[in-house]
Structure formats: structure tokens, C-alpha cells
Amino acid sequence: MTNSLIIPKIGQHCAIFGQTGCGKTVLARRLVNTKNNVLVLDTKGETRWEDESPELGYIAVTTIDELYDRQSESPRIIFRPSYKDDKERFAEHNEFFKFAFIRRNNLVYVD
């Protein structure tokens, strides 16, 4: 077996599994940063790519309205919602994926 990197093609799915601290997010970030039209669902509030790599043009938003309003500013958007309860969490995630579907041709990363 070789140590080559297999990059998913358009329309394919990819999952990265591993122990805490083994580099899953680093690998995902490297894969994601090779693409345009990236949507990140930051469920933990820890993805700070807009600060760490400003040259890549990520913007961060916290509401669905802001997601729609600011989509023309950058093809790379991090959605970092704050939730009050599980019902609201489900609704926000559902709206995020609706946005991704409507926007079309996105790479969606969830962490």
C-alpha cells in the first residue's frame, strides 16, 4: 500500500476518521483548500480558517440570513451558528444544507 493521497472527485463523498489529535482536521483543511465554492458547517465553533489563512478568502457568518446576504463576498464561507436547543440546531443545519443545495456545486465540510 502506498501513502498517496486520494482526492474525491465531484459528486463523491469522503469521511475522515481517527483518534483525537491525529490530524483529521489538518488533512480535511488541505483537501478543502484545493477547491472553490466551499461551505463549512462549524458545529464546534473552532474552525478559524478566516483568521489563520486570510489569503484564502474565507468569511465567517453566524446566521442563515447572513449566509444568504454575504454569499457574494466570497466563494468560501464558514457557517458558525450558536444554538439554544436541539430543535434549533436541527433547523439551522437543515437550512444550511438547503442553502448548499440551492447554491449548487459546493464542497461541504462539517466539523
Side-chain angles (χ1 to χ4, degrees), residues 51-62:
D51 298 328
E52 296 165 4
S53 302
E55 71 280 2
L56 294 174
Y58 284 97
I59 61 169
V61 299
T62 58

Side-chain angles (χ1 to χ4, degrees), residues 7 28-36 38 58 76 107:
I7 299 176
R29 182 176 176 175
R30 287 187 180 170
L31 289 171
V32 167
N33 287 344
T34 66
K35 305 294 182 188
N36 289 320
V38 175
Y58 284 97
R76 294 178 168 161
L107 185 149

Side-chain angles (χ1 to χ4, degrees), residues 1 60 65 75-76 90 102 109:
M1 185 166 174
D65 288 339
R76 294 178 168 161
F90 176 79
I102 291 167
Y109 172 65

Side-chain angles (χ1 to χ4, degrees), residues 30-48:
R30 287 187 180 170
L31 289 171
V32 167
N33 287 344
T34 66
K35 305 294 182 188
N36 289 320
N37 297 329
V38 175
L39 295 174
V40 177
L41 176 55
D42 182 10
T43 62
K44 299 184 276 184
E46 297 174 357
T47 305
R48 300 285 178 213

Side-chain angles (χ1 to χ4, degrees), residues 61-79:
V61 299
T62 58
T63 67
I64 294 296
D65 288 339
E66 192 179 12
L67 189 62
Y68 280 95
D69 292 345
R70 296 189 62 197
Q71 67 178 312
S72 64
E73 292 178 35
S74 176
R76 294 178 168 161
I77 304 172
I78 300 168
F79 179 51

Side-chain angles (χ1 to χ4, degrees), residues 12-28:
Q12 292 182 323
H13 299 132
C14 175
I16 302 170
F17 300 94
Q19 296 177 12
T20 301
C22 71
K24 297 179 299 292
T25 301
V26 172
L27 174 60

